[in-house]
Structures are given as structure tokens and as C-alpha cells.
Amino acid sequence: MAEGPDPVVADLEQEVTCGICHDRYQEPKLLPCCHYYCKQCILTLSSRYRPNQPFPCPDCREPTLLPDNNPDRLTTAFFINRMKALHSRMEKAHGKLETTCEMCSGGKATAFCRQCVSFICDDCVKSHKMKVFAGHTISTLDELKQGGVKELTFESPPPPKCEDHEELKKIFCFDCDKLICRDCAVFDHRDHKSEFVKKAAPAIHKMLTEHLSPLKNLLPDLSTAVNQVKGTKQKIQAQKELTERQVNAKFQELHDILDRCKVRVLRESSALADSKMEKLTIQEKGLDLYLGTAQSLIDFVERTLENASDEELITMQEQVVSRIDAEVVKRGKEAANPDPVEKDDFGVEVFVCEDLKKLCENNVVVYPSVRGDGVKMAEVDKCANLNVYISSKQGKPQAVLKSLVDQSTQQLQAVPVRGGVYSVEYTPRVRGRHHLLISVDDQPIPGSPFSVFVKIPLDKPVRVIRGINNPRYMVFNSSEELIVTDFRGDVLVFDKKGEQIQSISKSKHGFGGISGVAVDKEDNIYACDSRKHCVYKFNKRGDLLKRFGTKGSGPKELNFPRGIAVAGDQVFVCDQNNHRVQVLTTELEPVKQIGSFGTGNGHFNGPEDVTVDNEQMVYVTDYYNHRVQVLTMDGRFIRSIGKKGNGQGNLSDPCGVCVTGFVYVADRDNKCVSVFTKDGQFVTSFGNGHITDLYGVAVDSDGFVYVCSGRSVVIF
């Protein structure tokens, strides 16, 4: 029997095969995501994209930017080269490659020396008995096959030589993050932190192990999550199959009912037709008989009139008249007026067909449910409507509209439209958030209470706050005072009438360019200075409490910070040019970073603004990716809202974002504010023709929408 492929060799074969060209690795390079491919394969892959444009890793789709379009700038995957050498030796050990002695000129190799890391012939095996080779371990080829990889493992290669000094690079420079030789350490890296590799390696090994520990600890949760998703999928599939069986059974039942109805209707129609046909057949025979009798009598009288004498006519005239009057005319009239055959007697019950037609033309409705625009949005003093669908076994629905602004309520009437369908209409009087409560048989239907936003028409502004040099972002404090940042000036505070009541001065604090602004539960003010790459914290009187950040990309550094939001004891900062969101404490101590550069889910390309809703979901406007990303507080991606374009539901350079019951996005390039539901469904847009150069957007407790536009704040 032929031997199958050795599993160890097969595993190594897979390890040394490039995932792009499916050939042995040639000059393997390591991508930032820790996947590795041939140098030429990486270059070919990156050439499909524009220069300086990231390309996705074939394994994990992580965006990768090739430094200077040169794969030599990537780290070499040295361990893959060692795996290739090990694989080659395994093939020789298993006889797949010709094995000659690697220590002399010649003979066939019969053994392997672990210390020499070489296949050797019988003569060299004998030479290894000399004292100079004392301590060397010799294994035969058969022993190699049985021992596998362990027998062929060899020591690490020597350090590389320095290109400048021809010495071995035995020192690691921490400042430059590279290997250097002793001369380099003395002359070129004298003031740098450095250490011998053998001494530094254990600490680095420990550090990597510690960094790996959280990832390993995450595996059980990930496995649990995967199993939960699989379990949910199985449940959904099972429910789908059950629903299909139920639907098929129900429609088969309907089909059977229709078949029986068809047979009954056809039978009754046939019986009715047969009954009429029988009557008509009798009438037809009678008419034929009377027709013959009448014709015969006419012929008899006419011949008599022609041929009989006067005496004969007088004699038979009484008999003929009696026959005509008493028999033929009377019975002939009866025969000429048969029982009427009405058209409807032959008609099939048409109303049944019409009901079936309506059933087929309407969508299947899940009971109870609600449909209509009035379940999501309405306008003040304008009638809104919706339909409630219930089953035949359920009672009349009840509906109540409650305003969350003034707590007023309206009892709504459900008017029957047709079987199982009720129409509900209402005319709201107050602008703002409402709850629509709908119940059937004293039980709320799925989705109730429904969140309804009542607006006034947003076609035209209702008020404008002017005199701001370059307004960027806004926030309301607990007193409903509006705090606005002026990128070229101060932080301004306005009352509800739009009158300025306070300012935090640029001249006093030396602002470079204030953009994002937020407040905490104590009304402390947090502001981002984009040009000075920092975040300020002021108390509500405007006194500076703390400052965080300098220009850079480290954990305590920022690069052009823009939007900012406070949620509980956490501060979220859009670190725009670092393409991430920094998370700080309210004392401006760094906690973590969310995201990195890229186009995938959870990655950013110029995050502009951030806000957190009352459900602890984080919304970030991803400026150059033309979308809003929704994340959890710990940075897990949930969904994306919008995509690049200028149609309904599309975004182009989104800036400010504000979330109430809806998501309001300042769509800068499209010169409007787009409104979405929290799950990403487009609702409406407004402001076209009234706002330009827009940035921030905010909504007050009465539902009025504030937009930073040009040199003013426009209120809708």
C-alpha cells in the first residue's frame, strides 16, 4: 500500500505557502496587521490602488498604507524563512528531495547532525567520532522521520552584520527601534536608550506575553459570542422553516377550501342549469307541436276556402272557429310565452371572486401591527394618520398620544376601515417628542409606545442669532443656555432669547482655534483647540481648570482635535488627523483610543464630531468616509448611517451630529441637515437655500434645531 502524505510535512507546506500567489514565500514581508506575504505579491496588490491609498489585507481586510510605495520598508518575516529551511529539511528527511552530504563533496546523506545543522554521509558520520565533534547529536534518516520537526529544529541564526561597521548587531536601540552594533552604540546612538539583545529580549518577551494575555482572555467571550450568533441563526432558521411549514399548511388549507368551494359552486351552477334546460326542453317540444298544429289548421282552412261550396262552408264554420279560438290561439299564447330565464340564475357568486382578488392584491399582515407615517413623525396643527391591523379574534384597538413636552394627552379614536383594519388620526398641538400608545385587548402591541417627533415645518428658519465671527459647534447646558464656539474668537454663551450673557475670552487664554464644545453634569465646559492640539476644561464661570494634550500621535497627544462629547465620567474627543477617538476621564486623563485610519467598520478617515445618546451609544461623523458610525461606549461597531452622495439618505462631508429621538447630521457639502432614525433609516432633510458653510447642529428641549451656518446660528 502506498504511503500517504506525512501530516507534518503537509502542515509545513501550508505554513510556507503564500496566500496570494499560492507558491513558496519569496522574501516574505510582514504587514501592520501581522499577516505576511511575498514582497512582490504585496507590491502587485498595492499597485491596483492609487499612490498613497491604503489597500486591504487579503486576510483581514485591514487597510494598509505601503510606506513610500516600497515593500522593503516593511519588516521581514524572518521566522518564515526559517520555516522554509525547516520544510526543506523535512522533505529531505522524507526522501522527497535528493539528499547529499552537506559537509563534503559528495556522497549520499544517511544522517543528520543537529549541531552542524547538516545532512551528512557515512564518511562524515565516522569523522564525527573525532574529539572535535564531541557532544554532537547524530540521527539517522529513519530516526528523523519518526522524530519529526523536533529532530530537525536548529538554533537561531547569528545576528546580522552592521552595514557601516561590519560588526554583528547585538544591541537594540529603544529610541530608534532598531538593531545596532557596538560602534553604532558608541558613536551614533550615544545618548539613546539601548541594551544588549540577549538582555533586552526577556523583557520584550514578557511585554509581548502580557499584551497577548488580554487577547487570550477575550477568546472565551468571542467563542461564546460566536456560539450565540450561531445559536441565534439556528433558531431563526428553525423559526423560518416552522413559518414556512405553517404558511404552506395554511395556504394548502385555503387551497383545499377553495377547491371544495369550487366543486360546490360548479355543482350548484350545473344543477341550476340542468333544471332550466329541462324546462326549456319541454317548452321547445310544446312549441314544435303547437307550431305544427297551427300550420296544419291554416292549410286546412285555406284549402276549404278555395274548394268548398257555400253550403259546406256554412256547415263547418262553427267547428273551425271553435278550434281556432278555443284550442290553437289559447294554447299557442301559452307556448309562445315560456317561463323567463333570468341572467342571474346562471351567475357564479361574484362577490366571492372579488374578495379573493382583494386578498391576493394585499400584503400579508402580521397581527397586530401598525403602518403609516403618523407612527414616526407629525407636524403641529396638521392631521397625521396611521392604520392598525388586528386579527378577527381581537377587539377594537385603543390609542393615546402623550406629549413629553407638557405631559398633555389625547384620547384617539380607532375607526374601522374594513375587516381587521382601523384608521387612527390625530392633530398634535405641541412641538417636540410624543409617545403614541396603542393597545389591543388591554395589551400594548409590539413597538408601543411609539416615539413620534412632532415638528413645525422646517422649510424656513424661525430665528437667527447673528454677530458670531465663525461659529463651529454648540451645546446646551442644564439651564438651556446655548454655548457656541467661535473658531476665530471666544467661547460664547447665549440665553434662550439669543442674547449673549457670557464669554470665555480668546485673548485671556490664547486660543488658537476653538471648535468642539461639551458640558458635564456639573455644567463644566470642555472645549477643543484644533490649532493648539489640546482640550480645555473650564468651570461654568469660565475659569480654566485643566488642559490636556500636545501635538503628536501618542496616548497623551492630539492632532487637530475637533468634536467633543461628555457621557457620565468619560470624555470623547475626535482626534481628527490621528483618525481616532480619544477617550478621557472628566479630569482629562487618557483612558483608551477607539479606531484607526481606514474605511472599514470601526475605522475613521478624519472623524469630525461625536455625541452620545441616552442609550449610551456613541455617534461619530466620519468626514472623509461620508458617514456616521454608531459604536458602543467601548468602541464596538454597531452600524453605519449614510453613504457618499447627494440624494435622500446620502451624505457628503458630514460635520455636526446631534441625537434626540432622531439623528440630525449637518451635511456640509449638501448644504442641509439630514434626519435619520437611530437605526439609520432616512426621514427628511431641511435647510436647503437657508444654510451654507455649516458645522455644528443641536436640538433644544422644545425640538428647535440650531445650525452653525456662516457667521450666525440659524434656528429651525
Side-chain angles (χ1 to χ4, degrees):
M1 181 182 293
E3 294 185 7
D6 186 270
V8 178
V9 177
D11 289 343
L12 278 174
E13 176 74 27
Q14 186 175 358
E15 290 288 341
V16 298
T17 300
C18 174
I20 296 178
C21 65
H22 303 293
D23 204 347
R24 299 281 176 85
Y25 283 108
Q26 300 296 325
E27 297 184 82
K29 294 290 182 177
L30 195 64
L31 298 182
C33 60
C34 295
H35 290 111
Y36 38 85
Y37 306 96
C38 300
K39 169 184 169 181
Q40 185 58 45
C41 292
I42 293 174
L43 187 60
T44 302
L45 180 62
S46 66
S47 67
R48 300 173 186 171
Y49 297 82
R50 293 191 300 270
N52 298 322
Q53 180 184 7
F55 63 90
C57 167
D59 271 345
C60 65
R61 314 307 297 172
E62 182 77 14
T64 301
L65 190 63
L66 193 60
D68 300 329
N69 204 35
N70 183 6
D72 288 329
R73 297 281 301 278
L74 297 172
T75 303
T76 299
F78 296 106
F79 64 96
I80 294 298
N81 289 328
R82 296 185 63 199
M83 294 287 286
K84 286 174 61 182
L86 180 60
H87 179 260
S88 176
R89 296 188 185 281
M90 285 294 295
E91 287 190 318
K92 290 180 179 180
H94 285 260
K96 291 191 173 184
L97 295 178
E98 182 179 356
T99 311
T100 58
C101 182
E102 297 174 348
M103 295 192 67
C104 67
S105 56
K108 183 178 180 181
T110 58
F112 180 77
C113 176
R114 294 190 62 186
Q115 283 67 37
C116 298
V117 197
S118 300
F119 286 92
I120 57 178
C121 63
D122 289 337
D123 291 339
C124 292
V125 171
K126 294 176 182 178
S127 300
H128 269 65
K129 294 179 180 179
M130 299 170 61
K131 289 185 178 181
V132 69
F133 296 109
H136 284 216
T137 303
I138 306 297
S139 301
T140 65
L141 296 185
D142 289 337
E143 289 172 340
L144 290 180
K145 290 182 181 180
Q146 296 174 2
V149 174
K150 183 178 179 181
E151 292 291 334
L152 287 167
T153 303
F154 43 85
E155 298 179 358
S156 300
K161 283 188 176 182
C162 176
E163 297 83 357
D164 298 325
H165 305 108
E166 293 297 321
E167 286 194 15
L168 296 179
K169 296 181 179 179
K170 295 184 177 181
I171 300 173
F172 181 73
C173 177
F174 289 92
D175 291 346
C176 300
D177 195 28
K178 69 176 185 177
L179 293 171
I180 58 175
C181 70
R182 189 189 301 269
D183 288 350
C184 290
V186 173
F187 297 107
D188 301 327
H189 301 257
R190 180 182 304 171
D191 298 326
H192 293 191
K193 180 183 178 182
S194 60
E195 188 67 82
F196 281 101
V197 170
K198 288 190 177 295
K199 189 173 181 180
I204 294 176
H205 186 279
K206 180 180 178 182
M207 180 270 293
L208 290 175
T209 302
E210 290 174 350
H211 273 67
L212 196 61
S213 180
L215 190 59
K216 287 184 176 180
N217 294 337
L218 189 60
L219 289 180
D221 292 338
L222 290 174
S223 298
T224 301
V226 169
N227 290 332
Q228 288 176 344
V229 170
K230 288 182 177 178
T232 303
K233 287 177 64 179
Q234 291 173 353
K235 289 179 180 178
I236 291 174
Q237 181 63 30
Q239 184 62 44
K240 173 188 172 184
E241 294 172 356
L242 175 61
T243 302
E244 287 178 351
R245 290 195 298 271
Q246 291 175 338
V247 169
N248 288 333
K250 179 58 67 176
F251 276 87
Q252 184 60 49
E253 180 182 350
L254 291 173
H255 186 273
D256 294 342
I257 292 172
L258 289 174
D259 275 347
R260 291 196 295 272
C261 181
K262 171 185 172 182
V263 171
R264 178 181 61 80
V265 172
L266 289 177
R267 183 174 61 248
E268 292 177 356
S269 176
S270 177
L272 180 62
D274 289 345
S275 173
K276 278 294 180 182
M277 288 291 288
E278 183 178 356
K279 292 181 180 180
L280 291 173
T281 300
I282 295 172
Q283 290 179 356
E284 181 184 16
K285 290 180 178 180
L287 287 172
D288 286 340
L289 177 61
Y290 300 149
L291 178 61
T293 302
Q295 187 62 52
S296 175
L297 183 58
I298 290 170
D299 292 341
F300 171 76
V301 173
E302 288 178 346
R303 287 197 303 270
T304 301
L305 290 173
E306 291 177 2
N307 300 310
S309 63
D310 294 338
E311 293 81 5
E312 291 174 334
L313 283 175
I314 293 172
T315 302
M316 66 177 64
Q317 57 90 19
E318 183 178 354
Q319 181 180 355
V320 171
V321 171
S322 175
R323 174 64 176 167
I324 293 173
D325 292 342
E327 299 295 334
V328 178
V329 174
K330 179 182 178 181
R331 297 181 64 184
K333 286 181 179 180
E334 294 176 358
N337 292 278
D339 291 340
V341 181
E342 299 295 338
K343 179 180 178 181
D344 288 347
D345 287 347
F346 295 96
V348 179
E349 299 169 354
V350 179
F351 69 90
V352 175
C353 299
E354 291 299 322
D355 286 347
L356 290 175
K357 181 179 178 182
K358 290 178 182 178
L359 176 65
C360 294
E361 288 178 347
N362 285 305
N363 294 325
V364 176
V365 178
V366 179
Y367 301 112
S369 63
V370 176
R371 294 180 183 176
D373 293 337
V375 78
K376 295 187 297 184
M377 184 170 285
E379 291 187 10
V380 171
D381 295 330
K382 186 176 180 180
C383 182
N385 61 75
L386 55 102
N387 286 337
V388 182
Y389 296 81
I390 63 172
S391 71
S392 58
K393 297 180 181 180
Q394 293 174 317
K396 182 179 179 180
Q398 297 83 40
V400 176
L401 182 70
K402 179 179 180 180
S403 169
L404 302 185
V405 178
D406 63 3
Q407 303 303 312
S408 60
T409 60
Q410 293 184 44
Q411 296 290 334
L412 309 181
Q413 293 295 320
V415 179
V417 177
R418 59 179 183 272
V421 183
Y422 286 80
S423 175
V424 176
E425 294 184 348
Y426 62 92
T427 303
R429 306 300 180 189
V430 181
R431 175 178 178 169
R433 182 72 45 211
H434 288 63
H435 274 171
L436 178 61
L437 301 94
I438 301 177
S439 60
V440 177
D441 296 333
D442 297 325
Q443 295 294 322
I445 72 172
S448 179
F450 299 94
S451 182
V452 180
F453 182 72
V454 178
K455 61 180 184 177
I456 62 174
L458 297 173
D459 299 334
K460 296 181 180 180
V462 296
R463 190 156 52 94
V464 178
I465 301 175
R466 304 184 188 277
I468 307 172
N469 193 19
N470 196 344
R472 286 299 167 93
Y473 288 96
M474 305 166 289
V475 69
F476 288 96
N477 62 18
S478 61
S479 301
E480 284 290 306
E481 296 166 342
L482 179 67
I483 305 172
V484 184
T485 59
D486 185 343
F487 192 70
R488 298 178 184 174
D490 306 335
V491 178
L492 308 173
V493 184
F494 298 86
D495 62 17
K496 295 198 72 172
K497 296 180 180 179
E499 301 293 333
Q500 183 178 330
I501 58 175
Q502 184 186 348
S503 68
I504 302 175
S505 171
K506 174 181 179 178
S507 59
K508 178 179 179 180
H509 298 286
F511 299 148
I514 295 293
S515 52
V517 63
V519 295
D520 62 19
K521 59 186 177 181
E522 297 175 355
D523 280 343
N524 294 314
I525 301 171
Y526 300 76
C528 290
D529 193 329
S530 298
R531 289 178 175 169
K532 291 202 171 181
H533 313 283
C534 66
V535 175
Y536 303 105
K537 179 180 179 180
F538 304 93
N539 61 22
K540 59 184 177 182
R541 295 185 303 274
D543 302 320
L544 180 62
L545 302 179
K546 199 165 186 180
R547 170 176 169 164
F548 167 83
T550 56
K551 185 176 182 180
S553 59
K556 295 185 178 182
E557 296 173 324
L558 298 166
N559 193 342
F560 211 74
R562 300 292 283 172
I564 187 170
V566 178
D569 58 356
Q570 291 187 317
V571 180
F572 295 81
V573 181
C574 286
D575 193 359
Q576 188 171 72
N577 288 351
N578 285 326
H579 309 289
R580 65 190 180 187
V581 175
Q582 285 239 43
V583 184
L584 315 173
T585 67
T586 50
E587 295 303 317
L588 301 188
E589 295 296 330
V591 177
K592 60 185 174 183
Q593 294 136 24
I594 297 173
S596 59
F597 176 76
T599 59
N601 295 336
H603 297 278
F604 302 107
N605 188 358
E608 175 71 24
D609 193 21
V610 58
T611 189
V612 182
D613 70 5
N614 56 7
E615 298 174 344
Q616 302 296 291
M617 302 302 291
V618 182
Y619 295 74
V620 182
T621 48
D622 195 358
Y623 189 84
Y624 293 107
N625 284 331
H626 311 286
R627 63 186 177 182
V628 176
Q629 293 203 61
V630 186
L631 314 168
T632 62
M633 293 282 282
D634 58 2
R636 182 168 56 87
F637 174 82
I638 299 298
R639 71 178 64 88
S640 179
I641 297 176
K643 61 181 179 179
K644 182 173 175 58
N646 55 12
Q648 290 189 346
N650 294 331
L651 299 171
S652 183
D653 300 342
C655 288
V657 60
C658 177
V659 181
T660 55
F662 291 86
V663 182
Y664 296 82
V665 184
D667 195 354
R668 180 175 173 80
D669 194 44
N670 288 326
K671 298 179 177 58
C672 68
V673 175
S674 292
V675 185
F676 300 85
T677 62
K678 285 187 176 182
D679 59 3
Q681 299 299 313
F682 176 76
V683 177
T684 187
S685 64
F686 62 90
N688 302 80
H690 298 284
I691 49 179
T692 58
D693 194 24
L694 65 162
Y695 280 96
V697 60
V699 180
D700 67 13
S701 60
D702 295 325
F704 289 89
V705 183
Y706 294 64
V707 183
C708 288
S709 171
R711 295 177 178 270
S712 58
V713 173
V714 183
I715 305 171
F716 292 87

